[in-house]
Each structure stands twice: as C-alpha cells, then as structure tokens.
Amino acid sequence: MSINILKENNVRNNRLNANALKKVKHISHISHNNENFYTYELIQSIAKFLLDRINIRPKIGIICGSGMGTIADSLTDRHIFPYETIPHFPVSTVPGHEGRLVFGCVNGIPIMCMQGRFHYYEGYPLWKCAMPIRVMKLVGVTHLLATNAAGGLNPDFEVGDIMIIKDHINLMGFAGNNPLLGVNEDRFGPRFPPMNKAYNKKLREAVHGAAKDLNMSSIVKEGVYSVIGGPNFETVAELNMLRICGVDAVGMSTVHEVITAHHCGMTVIAFSLITNKCVTNYDDHSEAKHSEVMEAAAERAPLIRSLVSKIVSYIDENHLICTDEIFSP
Ligand SMILES: O=P(O)(O)O[C@H]1O[C@H](CO)[C@@H](O)[C@H]1O
C-alpha cells in the first residue's frame, strides 16, 4: 500500500472515530457496569414515546446487520427516529450501522426496523445492547428477523452465501455474560428460559422455500453461529477451536438479541451473510477487515432485500402457525 493511501485511510478513520465520539458525547459514562438496569416501566415509557408518534402497529421486527442498512431504506411510508432522539436509547458507533429506528412497511406489512444494532465491544453491557428487543415486544412485535455479517468457518461456505441460523453457541455466556443478567422481570419471561428452540423451525423451512422461489437455493445454507465479544477478529487457534465445536459462522452480535427475544416469547428467525472466509491456516496471509465485510454486504444487498421481503410476507400470511412454540410471558 502506498504512503498516500495509508494517509488517506488514516484521515478517513480519524473522521469516523470523531463522528462516533460526537454521537456518544452526551453519555457521561459508557461502561460494562450492571447498575441502572432498565425497568419494565422504563421500557414501557420508551414504547409509549414511539407509539405516540407513529400510526402503524408493527408485528414484525427487523435488525439490519453490518452494511445491510438498505433493508431499512427500502421500507415504504417511513417514520425515522435517530437513536439519539429516543429517550434512554444508546447510540450506534460502528460504521455500517446508521443508528436509527425506522418504522415503515414491506409489501404493505408494518415493520419496526433497527438500522444499526448495539454490540458489546462498543462499551455497552449486553442487557443494554438488547434493550430495543424489549421495546419491540411492548410495541407489539411478535416476530423478530435478525440479520448479521459473519465470517464463514465451514469450509463449504463461500463469501456471499447466506446461512440460516439453526442454533448458536453463546461463548460470552460461558463466562457468565448474558443479556438476561440481573433480577428477572417475570412480565417479560421466566428466570430460566429454555433455548433449544430459539430459532423457529417452521420459519427456517419457510426461508428455504423463499430461497427456492428466488432461485437462491445454491447460496442459502444452514448452520451454527457463535458470538465472540470482539472487537478484534479471531486468531487462527480460536477459529480452529470453534470449528471443532461445530461452529459454521462467527460474529460479534445477534445472540444477545435472540436470547432476549425468545425469553419474552417472540418467534425468531435469523440469518448470517458470509462476508469473509475465516483464516484457519497459518500459511494463509489474508486478514479479516471490516471494509471487506461492508463491501460483501453491499454486493448482496438486493438479494437480501428480496429474501427479507419474502420472509415478511410469509410471516404475515402464516404467523398463527407459530403460536404453539411461544410461551407467554
Ligand atoms: O454482526 P453485525 O452487526 O452484522 O457485524 C459484524 O461485522 C462487524 C465486524 O466486521 C462486527 O460487528 C460483526 O458482528
């Protein structure tokens, strides 16, 4: 890389960092402390703040993964809330996560969409990262569609493949870090929620059906996602350990949202866009880069939008079939 390109990259990175810092400047203290958990009443007040300002009543929530914000851009009849305008909301600090709550419609079906999610490595505790899911619940959302960018660990996966998540390994949970940490709020869900049916089977089958209709079956896979805390990408040894454990794709998000959504009885479907192949060999000199993650996401944006639109229509037409797998809070 030439000195000039390096200089340009530095200037660009400094600008991104300065923008992120500007956004968080009104927060006096970001840390992983577990004081000031959100109460039920506080989440209710956020839901009310939003419902008082919109006419639609969404039943489906969508989370846009890194570089996948065009899902939110393609909603019709949009009502946009930048996170910094919503009381008690954290703000997004990661490039590729716009940091807005977007209400609107897909095929006429009302949606609540996070155009940007919160990650643990941004300095927020997991219960704070997952708070918008509880807001979704109190707004009336019953189904969550979470998307993410992930590194492909399964050697059969290629960049651009879409992996329907059938299960996860909550590596951060192994160390006692969990979005449900703290006194349990029974109005959301039970103290000890089961997690073996976190990713709804009927919806997973429906996504395969949608992929077939869209002639995408060859790029749609299914597998196990594992979350690492980030922000650094993984070492070769870490990735090889995860592969031995049955992990197909690795990322730094989603699991806290899925646990929180399943805990409060929402039906969940999630998929990963494979944006890079994980480096599992010391002779491989390639390196994971966030810029490549975003490029791969941009390339697949039209297909992802089509898939999301099919899934939303399927949920709208068939959502009653899933109620047997929901336990009420
Ligand atoms: O999981 P999402 O938010 O899609 O983003 C993924 O991409 C970023 C790394 O490039 C990490 O934040 C990782 O989790």
Side-chain angles (χ1 to χ4, degrees):
M1 209 183 275
S2 78
I3 299 280
N4 275 346
I5 293 180
L6 277 174
K7 269 191 197 151
E8 271 171 33
N9 278 353
N10 276 342
V11 170
R12 203 172 146 270
N13 284 339
N14 287 342
R15 203 175 49 234
L16 285 173
N17 286 341
N19 283 342
L21 281 175
K22 246 186 255 162
K23 277 188 178 181
V24 297
K25 75 172 187 306
H26 67 284
I27 296 176
S28 55
H29 181 58
I30 295 185
S31 79
H32 284 162
N33 75 51
N34 288 322
E35 292 150 29
N36 309 318
F37 287 110
Y38 294 103
T39 61
Y40 189 89
E41 288 70 24
L42 195 119
I43 308 256
Q44 248 177 346
S45 75
I46 302 173
K48 184 172 181 316
F49 172 89
L50 297 166
L51 288 173
D52 283 350
R53 286 161 179 78
I54 52 169
N55 294 321
I56 63 167
R57 294 294 178 259
K59 294 277 174 222
I60 300 175
I62 297 179
I63 304 174
C64 304
S66 278
M68 296 180 216
T70 64
I71 300 171
D73 292 334
S74 67
L75 300 189
T76 55
D77 306 315
R78 285 182 302 156
H79 196 130
I80 298 171
F81 297 88
Y83 289 154
E84 52 268 40
T85 66
I86 308 172
H88 310 288
F89 244 65
V91 290
S92 288
T93 65
V94 185
H97 290 265
E98 285 76 358
R100 322 192 293 180
L101 214 48
V102 182
F103 290 84
C105 294
V106 171
N107 303 331
I109 301 152
I111 303 289
M112 174 171 173
C113 183
M114 289 179 70
Q115 194 177 30
R117 61 154 53 90
F118 305 114
H119 306 83
Y120 185 74
Y121 62 75
E122 293 176 77
Y124 302 121
L126 285 179
W127 51 264
K128 192 171 263 191
C129 295
M131 175 272 281
I133 306 300
R134 289 184 163 179
V135 174
M136 282 184 180
K137 172 75 182 176
L138 296 191
V139 161
V141 167
T142 57
H143 289 68
L144 175 69
L145 165 53
T147 67
N148 66 49
L153 198 44
N154 183 325
D156 295 335
F157 289 0
E158 299 298 336
V159 170
D161 282 354
I162 289 170
M163 184 189 85
I164 302 167
I165 304 182
K166 74 167 178 215
D167 202 352
H168 67 230
I169 293 183
N170 181 11
L171 213 55
M172 299 168 76
F174 284 12
N177 193 358
N178 192 294
L180 305 180
L181 208 67
V183 175
N184 188 59
E185 172 52 78
D186 295 340
R187 284 173 285 183
F188 282 119
R191 172 74 292 185
F192 301 110
M195 221 33 75
N196 55 316
K197 288 189 190 169
Y199 300 86
N200 186 269
K201 190 159 185 274
K202 286 176 192 141
L203 283 181
R204 282 191 275 130
E205 284 162 7
V207 181
H208 283 294
K212 205 166 163 201
D213 292 347
L214 293 166
N215 278 329
M216 294 169 59
S217 289
S218 61
I219 62 157
V220 174
K221 318 277 165 74
E222 193 160 306
V224 175
Y225 175 90
S226 185
V227 62
I228 55 143
N232 61 283
F233 291 103
E234 310 74 33
T235 66
V236 171
E238 286 163 353
L239 288 166
N240 284 321
M241 185 200 85
L242 290 175
R243 185 65 194 142
I244 291 167
C245 294
V247 174
D248 296 294
V250 59
M252 306 172 194
S253 71
T254 307
V255 168
H256 56 278
E257 298 149 353
V258 172
I259 290 174
T260 305
H262 192 59
H263 175 248
C264 67
M266 287 162 69
T267 303
V268 175
I269 180 80
F271 67 76
S272 299
L273 173 70
I274 305 301
T275 52
N276 55 292
K277 283 182 87 120
C278 290
V279 179
T280 53
N281 180 331
Y282 291 103
D283 295 327
D284 182 339
H285 295 299
S286 54
E287 284 181 326
K289 289 185 200 75
H290 187 60
S291 54
E292 275 175 20
V293 168
M294 302 238 284
E295 275 162 32
E299 192 140 315
R300 275 289 186 240
L303 272 188
I304 287 176
R305 281 199 304 271
S306 304
L307 191 61
V308 165
S309 146
K310 281 254 178 204
I311 298 169
V312 166
S313 290
Y314 178 89
I315 294 172
D316 182 57
E317 287 155 16
N318 298 281
H319 68 272
L320 289 179
I321 63 166
C322 301
T323 50
D324 58 331
E325 294 189 19
I326 299 176
F327 54 94
S328 324

